[in-house]
Amino acid sequence: AVDRENQKTFLRDVMNEQENMGTPAGGNSDARKLGHDLNNKIAVLVMALALLKSQPLNPEGRRLLKIALGSLEGCDKLVRQIMGGQPDPKPAPPPPLSQVLQYTVDQQRLSLPKGLNLTSDIAAGLGLIRCSKTDVERLMENLIRNAVEATSRGGRIKVTAHLMDLAGPYPVQFPKTALPAGKYLRLSVGDSGCGIAPEDLDRIFEEGFSTKGGKNCGFGLANVAEIVVRQHGGIRVESVVGQGTRFDVFLPVVDQTG
């Protein structure tokens, strides 16, 4: 049986810690962006623990606990980056990319507001990309959270991932260039939300720019853009005000056999 009193105390402590998190000390730009991603991780952890509070550790409870612990592990890695620590000297081999993507979708599904529908279509055998597991998770979390914030009750969010061959120069909106021919992983996150005004499309990847306002806004898509540029990829955005938005992220595949 679950020790409910200890669980309540732990949950309350975690929620208080999340509420107290603001801009990391020192005001460093990179630290603020990593702090933003840490908030995303903690939101998942809080929701999973809240669900566990109302049930014993049956198989479903163990599944939720596993997801929460996985998110907490991600928090630890982000904290290491914020503190400038060294990576694990003996890192475990990364799991298959499709597994990482589906796991991240399952994590984010736990923290969805009621009434939102998140579905996924993730192909197997997606190959290998240069992006680390942590950066793949950060990229997906930020795209999904951005879709959640733009979508009202009853809305839909869909995540897809598959391989795509580009036969020639392929124009993207960010960075403003064209991707060379080759094989790419295409990650898409689409929503039926409010859409993005045409005059804002050129600024959505700017650090600190937000159409939402409020504290610690304007870092999610900036984080996505930074990761994509570091991997020599690109982003395309299609949006219609009042109908929704779709982000397509293209990351070069370095080995299709992975």
Side-chain angles (χ1 to χ4, degrees):
V2 179
D3 185 339
R4 299 188 185 282
E5 193 57 42
N6 288 340
Q7 192 176 60
K8 287 179 182 179
T9 301
F10 181 54
L11 178 63
R12 184 168 57 248
D13 290 342
V14 172
M15 294 181 72
N16 288 338
E17 182 67 21
Q18 183 188 25
E19 291 173 357
N20 291 333
M21 285 189 65
T23 301
N28 178 270
S29 173
D30 290 338
R32 289 201 308 272
K33 287 187 288 186
L34 288 170
H36 175 278
D37 288 351
L38 186 55
N39 269 328
N40 288 344
K41 296 276 190 183
I42 290 178
V44 175
L45 177 59
V46 169
M47 182 58 69
L49 292 173
L51 291 170
L52 278 174
K53 182 178 69 170
S54 63
Q55 59 183 304
L57 286 177
N58 54 25
E60 176 64 5
R62 287 194 293 272
R63 185 185 73 85
L64 293 173
L65 181 59
K66 181 179 179 181
I67 290 175
L69 292 174
S71 185
L72 184 59
E73 178 185 358
C75 289
D76 177 67
K77 291 179 180 179
L78 287 175
V79 169
R80 288 181 186 223
Q81 288 182 259
I82 291 173
M83 301 303 292
Q86 297 298 317
D88 188 343
K90 296 181 179 179
L97 183 56
S98 57
Q99 182 178 322
V100 174
L101 294 172
Q102 188 60 60
Y103 186 77
T104 305
V105 171
D106 291 342
Q107 282 186 319
Q108 294 303 305
R109 188 177 285 116
L110 283 175
S111 61
L112 287 181
K114 288 184 178 180
L116 284 188
N117 181 31
L118 173 60
T119 61
S120 60
D121 179 11
I122 298 173
L126 291 175
L128 296 177
I129 58 177
R130 293 185 180 89
C131 213
S132 69
K133 175 178 178 288
T134 299
D135 276 351
V136 169
E137 292 172 342
R138 290 177 59 202
L139 189 153
M140 290 298 296
E141 287 166 353
N142 279 302
L143 287 175
I144 293 173
R145 296 311 303 176
N146 184 74
V148 168
E149 291 169 3
T151 308
S152 59
R153 185 182 181 91
R156 302 177 307 280
I157 300 170
K158 185 171 184 178
V159 176
T160 63
H162 58 83
L163 295 178
M164 180 177 181
D165 286 306
L166 300 184
Y170 189 75
V172 292
Q173 288 158 276
F174 188 89
K176 293 186 180 299
T177 183
L179 298 176
K183 187 171 291 292
Y184 289 80
L185 169 66
R186 176 177 174 173
L187 300 175
S188 298
V189 178
D191 64 67
S192 62
C194 59
I196 303 170
E199 61 269 22
D200 291 334
L201 281 174
D202 286 339
R203 300 194 61 196
I204 57 176
F205 297 110
E206 291 180 13
E207 183 179 322
F209 177 79
S210 175
T211 59
K212 308 177 188 74
K215 186 178 181 181
N216 285 337
C217 289
F219 292 104
L221 291 179
N223 285 336
V224 170
E226 181 182 278
I227 292 169
V228 171
V229 168
R230 194 161 61 236
Q231 304 303 323
H232 307 290
I235 308 172
R236 297 187 76 172
V237 186
E238 294 184 7
S239 187
V240 177
V241 174
Q243 296 184 27
T245 303
R246 190 182 78 226
F247 286 84
D248 294 321
V249 173
F250 299 88
L251 299 173
V253 174
V254 296
D255 183 356
Q256 193 177 343
T257 63

